[in-house]
Amino acid sequence: MSDEAIAVRTAYQDPTFTYRYRPELLPEPGGRIDMWRYSRLLPGCDRDPVYPLPVGGTPLRPVPGLREATGAGDLWLKDETTGPTRSNKDRATALVIDIGMRSGATAVTTSSTGNAAIATAVGAAAAGIDAVIFVPEDCRPGKVAHMVAAGAQVFRVREGYRAAFELSRAAAARFGWIDRNTGANPLTIEAKKTVALEVWEQLGRRAPDVAVAPVGDGPTLVGLAKGFRELLACGAIAALPRMIGVQAAACAPLAHRWHGTAAPPLDPAATSADGIAVTVPSIGEWTLDEVRTAGGSFVTVTEPEIDAAVRDLRDLAQVPSEPAGAAAFAGYRSALAMGLVSPDESAVVLVTGSDLSTPPAPGTAPGAAHTISADLDVVAAVMRDRSVAARGGVTGS
């Protein structure tokens, strides 16, 4: 392991996943690209995966229409809207559930503003285990409908996202459920780093000059950065790409810290990019340090800029992105205008998810949604009458 990688792991007290970095850990050229292709750089993946859904291998699009519109001739979109639930959350869900299934787990929990919860509900249903989801009360109804249709028990928490996160973590600890919470379970970072490994292969085994990612809690950018750091440690690339983190102007705590500016009152409800509207990022310090290590920066984007990015991705690239997924492209345009990125540099923009406007038909065992205050005893009481309790997933109160 490189000295730099050791320093990062030590700083974040993350001794769990240690690799002896060398070229042999990377796959030979050729063959199908998916997440499991990088098993030698994934923990617990020395055997064939048991997770039943396909994951990874999403396209890297050259997007000539967007290149013409921006004047950037080496712009690429990493399009994560093509997976089972059309978001990059499928990767973390797959690795967490795969390893959990090997240990005999029967239930998984997470907190989310939407996409991670949908991925968890769908992944759990496919794997034959229960999903217990915690979302803020104002989570978009269409997203809640997806979770319920997949069979999840969904708890809408009145106190908001942070309370939902803490309640999910407490429930996992108390009831023995798999904890899939992004930023809390390090497997989520390991899975998300495979985006960088795929980009490296899809660009002909080279890194871009710049990588642009939306930032809410931080793991999407941290995973991307970690993947490139591990490529560097394996001797596969000569330098790290600059990381540009993008936040919605209405809720940009890390961008304001980065630039040393006073943040206005953070208002998650004031942005359509709900997937990155996080007031207290779970791994904010780590995210800032990854951007610093890579020589990058942060930008913020307004609602009109996000709306324009959604339209241009749809009309010029045929990529149906939701607002949070389009934020990175809006941020790329802002970075160009600010001189943070040159139009002749190679740049990969991560489109993290698509808008799931129509919920699927309910499965054989549809779930239910419950609106509660942040009280673990209330969760236990509700779940006693549900299938998870019948399986022994909940004990006591």
Side-chain angles (χ1 to χ4, degrees):
M1 185 183 298
S2 72
D3 291 340
E4 186 268 342
I6 292 172
V8 169
R9 289 187 184 277
T10 300
Y12 295 105
Q13 300 178 345
D14 177 23
T16 308
F17 306 120
T18 302
Y19 310 93
R20 295 179 58 84
Y21 295 117
R22 56 196 187 279
E24 292 76 20
L25 294 187
L26 298 170
E28 293 294 324
R32 176 183 174 184
I33 294 181
D34 64 10
M35 189 177 83
W36 309 112
R37 175 174 172 81
Y38 309 103
S39 60
R40 284 174 286 187
L41 279 170
L42 291 173
C45 290
D46 52 345
R47 295 168 292 177
D48 290 338
V50 296
Y51 185 74
L53 298 178
V55 61
T58 57
L60 184 70
R61 303 192 186 280
V63 290
L66 294 181
R67 290 178 173 181
E68 182 177 355
T70 60
D74 204 0
L75 170 65
W76 303 80
L77 295 184
K78 181 58 170 169
D79 180 6
E80 291 283 277
T81 71
T82 62
T85 68
R86 298 167 66 179
S87 90
N88 69 326
K89 313 299 184 181
D90 289 322
R91 295 177 187 263
T93 296
L95 185 59
V96 170
I97 291 181
D98 183 83
I99 291 179
M101 290 172 67
R102 297 177 191 276
S103 64
T106 60
V108 60
T109 184
T110 197
S111 58
S112 169
T113 55
N115 287 349
I118 293 172
T120 301
V122 171
I129 65 175
D130 293 299
V132 186
I133 307 297
F134 296 84
V135 300
E137 185 179 16
D138 61 358
C139 182
R140 289 164 57 187
K143 291 189 174 184
V144 174
H146 273 81
M147 303 166 209
V148 171
Q153 296 298 319
V154 183
F155 290 91
R156 300 168 68 235
V157 181
R158 294 186 180 98
E159 291 85 348
Y161 173 71
R162 188 67 192 180
F165 172 79
E166 292 171 353
L167 195 57
S168 176
R169 297 225 66 210
R174 180 166 168 180
F175 306 135
W177 299 336
I178 302 169
D179 186 343
R180 185 244 176 266
N181 279 289
T182 301
N185 186 335
L187 289 173
T188 62
I189 302 293
E190 295 300 294
K192 290 187 175 188
K193 78 184 183 188
T194 60
V195 172
L197 306 181
E198 290 181 12
V199 165
W200 167 71
E201 287 209 81
Q202 291 167 324
L203 283 177
R205 300 207 155 203
R206 65 179 177 90
D209 296 314
V210 179
V212 186
V215 175
D217 270 315
T220 291
L221 185 145
V222 167
L224 192 64
K226 186 175 187 291
F228 285 120
R229 284 195 289 101
E230 292 189 347
L231 287 167
L232 182 67
C234 286
I237 60 176
L240 296 174
R242 300 196 309 283
M243 303 298 301
I244 305 294
V246 183
Q247 295 202 289
C251 192
L254 296 182
H256 286 290
R257 285 187 59 189
W258 177 266
H259 293 290
T261 55
L266 303 177
D267 186 1
T271 178
S272 60
D274 55 343
I276 57 172
V278 179
T279 57
V280 184
S282 61
I283 54 171
E285 292 295 336
W286 190 349
T287 308
L288 290 165
D289 280 358
E290 289 288 6
V291 172
R292 190 174 297 112
T293 296
S297 189
F298 275 85
V299 298
T300 62
V301 289
T302 65
E303 294 306 294
E305 289 170 333
I306 293 171
D307 292 343
V310 170
R311 289 194 303 271
D312 286 346
L313 288 172
R314 180 193 64 216
D315 297 341
L316 301 179
Q318 292 73 56
V319 174
S321 177
E322 67 173 358
F329 178 61
Y332 174 71
R333 276 183 159 157
S334 179
L336 280 173
M338 296 168 64
L340 296 173
V341 180
S342 168
D344 60 359
E345 289 184 296
S346 61
V348 170
V349 173
L350 181 59
V351 181
T352 51
S354 178
D355 192 14
L356 295 170
S357 56
T358 304
T364 56
H370 319 271
T371 300
I372 65 168
S373 296
D375 186 332
L376 192 55
D377 289 337
V378 174
V379 175
V382 171
M383 294 305 295
R384 283 194 199 98
D385 297 328
R386 302 291 173 179
S387 60
V388 176
R391 294 185 182 184
V394 175
T395 58
S397 63

